[in-house]
Amino acid sequence: MHESIGQLVTSRAGRDRGRPYLVVAVLDDRFVLVADGDLRPVDRPKRKNVRHLVFHRAWAQEIREQLAAGKRPANAELRRALTALVEAYFGEREDEDGKPEVQGG
């Protein structure tokens, strides 16, 4: 299993800029498939160039284990894991002007 499966990523380019995803598959050294369980469900993941993603040092272990076992996680499980990771990794950071910090590129 590839090390980035289940990893938290943020889009840095495209219409989905700043949106968090989880890596659900690695196609090759340039492209991965990402899903969020909401706009991009597990059965229709988005193909993204790795240069257009910010890889964070956070993994959803339960999603990673399911994908390693060859099972497709439910969209609700993916959303729950993604929400927990985003809250744990980014927290409630705010700038001096009171606006949330922008994530990504």
Side-chain angles (χ1 to χ4, degrees):
M1 177 171 65
H2 198 272
E3 66 184 30
S4 60
I5 299 289
Q7 189 170 7
L8 174 66
V9 296
T10 304
S11 175
R12 76 165 77 182
R15 286 183 282 183
D16 59 349
R17 181 180 184 161
R19 189 167 181 87
Y21 293 104
L22 289 177
V23 176
V24 294
V26 177
L27 299 177
D28 56 26
D29 59 341
R30 288 188 53 207
F31 294 98
V32 296
L33 295 177
V34 296
D36 63 0
D38 184 25
L39 293 178
R40 280 297 169 172
V42 178
D43 56 342
R44 284 186 345 115
K46 182 170 182 72
R47 180 175 165 239
K48 290 289 278 186
N49 190 324
V50 295
R51 294 183 301 173
H52 299 164
L53 294 171
V54 177
F55 287 81
H56 304 288
R57 292 183 179 217
W59 286 264
Q61 291 301 326
E62 61 277 358
I63 302 298
R64 184 177 169 90
E65 291 167 2
Q66 286 181 8
L67 292 169
K71 298 178 183 174
R72 181 186 299 169
N75 289 318
E77 292 174 313
L78 193 73
R79 283 192 305 269
R80 201 173 315 119
L82 184 60
T83 301
L85 270 180
V86 168
E87 287 177 2
Y89 190 78
F90 295 122
E92 290 293 325
R93 291 189 261 180
E94 292 189 1
D95 290 342
E96 297 169 2
D97 59 359
K99 295 180 182 174
E101 183 178 318
V102 176
Q103 302 299 321

